[in-house]
Amino acid sequence: MLRYPQFDPVAIQIGPLAVHWYGLMYLFGFGLVYVLGRWRISHGKVAGGFTPRDLEDLIFYSVIGVVAGGRLGYVLFYKPYYYFAHPLEIFYLWEGGMSFHGGLLGVILVMLFFARKRGMSFFTVSDFIAPLIPLGLAMGRLGNFINGELWGRPSTLPWAMVFPQTGDGIPRHPSQLYELGLEGITLFILMWWFARKPRPTGQVSAMFLIGYGTFRFLVEFTREPDNFLGLLAGGLSMGQWLSIPMVVLGLLIFVLTAKRSSP
């Protein structure tokens, strides 16, 4: 049995200004997206004539989409009644509470806007950005671990961990680290390998939806359901129910685009 190393959520304190690790992880995540995106552009791994300036603009808009969509997704999908009663707390981002699925919807809206503005197809933009996302997700999951949130279900495995934040002293799966390994590192390897060669437009995006949705669905079996929701229909969590449409949509896009010629 392991014990969770109690982290100070504040990374840097300068007078009244506090910089939280959670926010820094998002910053590092977008930094990785930028570095990887520049590499793909410089090595000709992207269709549509993307330039470094396009990447910078897309990241700028995506920051807004991820933060706004992620927070609103959490508010609407997970705790609507609480936040409607405490609307100012919607802006307390440093306390955690972000929904990947909401953030994804925010980024989709950003990509639709960006594609229209640049005269590109939506899938040209999404195929470029999809392989860049997983390592950013890994940083987010590391932020969850540092915050001591989103812990796992009780476990007797040797690496089970006691999270003091639970208040029950029960060893649990470190599910944040599982997600970091699967949704982050493993998905990154899969996406980077798949996108290394020209694919029919839309296939890379489809692979991301399938890969993330599958990994998230599986990890949710080890993650403690939110106590204000519990398990829903079919004994599945909210995260699993939100991941199922991702996989279905990804499979549909993959099949429909399979017969297209590569770009």
Side-chain angles (χ1 to χ4, degrees):
M1 182 184 71
L2 303 176
R3 189 164 188 85
Y4 170 77
Q6 193 72 41
F7 295 99
D8 184 343
V10 177
I12 303 170
Q13 180 86 43
I14 304 175
L17 177 63
V19 179
H20 290 71
W21 282 110
Y22 194 74
L24 283 179
M25 291 303 104
Y26 272 81
L27 182 62
F28 293 155
F30 280 109
L32 287 171
V33 169
Y34 177 75
V35 171
L36 293 171
R38 286 295 299 263
W39 187 94
R40 294 199 76 209
I41 290 171
S42 65
H43 286 75
K45 300 292 184 181
V46 56
F50 265 90
T51 66
R53 178 59 185 272
D54 289 329
L55 174 63
E56 293 166 5
D57 289 347
L58 186 56
I59 289 177
F60 174 78
Y61 297 135
S62 294
V63 170
I64 299 173
V66 166
V67 175
R71 188 58 169 173
L72 290 176
Y74 182 79
V75 169
L76 296 175
F77 295 153
Y78 290 90
K79 300 178 74 173
Y81 298 112
Y82 176 83
Y83 284 107
F84 289 162
H86 306 83
L88 289 180
E89 293 189 26
I90 294 174
F91 302 99
Y92 294 1
L93 300 180
W94 57 89
E95 293 183 355
M98 298 287 281
S99 163
F100 166 80
H101 299 90
L104 177 63
L105 290 175
V107 171
I108 288 174
L109 290 176
V110 164
M111 289 190 292
L112 285 168
F113 167 77
F114 183 87
R116 179 166 182 161
K117 185 176 180 181
R118 291 294 195 275
M120 301 176 180
S121 75
F122 170 79
F123 283 123
T124 296
V125 177
S126 61
D127 282 355
F128 168 63
I129 204 71
L132 314 180
I133 295 175
L135 288 188
L137 296 178
M139 292 296 97
R141 293 310 179 192
L142 183 56
N144 294 144
F145 183 73
I146 292 173
N147 267 9
E149 61 188 3
L150 307 184
W151 52 75
R153 303 184 192 188
S155 170
T156 58
L157 292 171
W159 56 84
M161 187 173 290
V162 174
F163 291 87
Q165 292 89 339
T166 66
D168 56 21
I170 298 175
R172 297 173 177 274
H173 288 284
S175 55
Q176 314 97 321
L177 301 183
Y178 297 169
E179 291 183 280
L180 186 157
L182 285 176
E183 302 166 12
I185 297 172
T186 303
L187 184 59
F188 169 72
I189 294 171
L190 171 65
M191 293 302 302
W192 206 254
W193 166 81
F194 188 76
R196 80 192 194 286
K197 294 181 179 180
R199 304 283 181 180
T201 303
Q203 293 261 287
V204 175
S205 302
M207 183 59 70
F208 175 82
L209 292 173
I210 296 168
Y212 179 87
T214 299
F215 288 147
R216 177 66 181 272
F217 186 89
L218 294 174
V219 171
E220 283 283 327
F221 283 114
T222 70
R223 180 169 155 178
E224 182 73 14
D226 296 290
N227 57 12
F228 49 86
L229 284 178
L231 295 176
L232 306 178
L236 301 180
S237 67
M238 175 64 81
Q240 288 173 312
W241 276 112
L242 292 174
S243 295
I244 290 173
M246 288 185 66
V247 176
V248 173
L249 179 61
L251 289 171
L252 181 62
I253 294 172
F254 196 90
V255 171
L256 293 177
T257 58
K259 295 183 179 180
R260 292 180 181 176
S261 59
S262 299

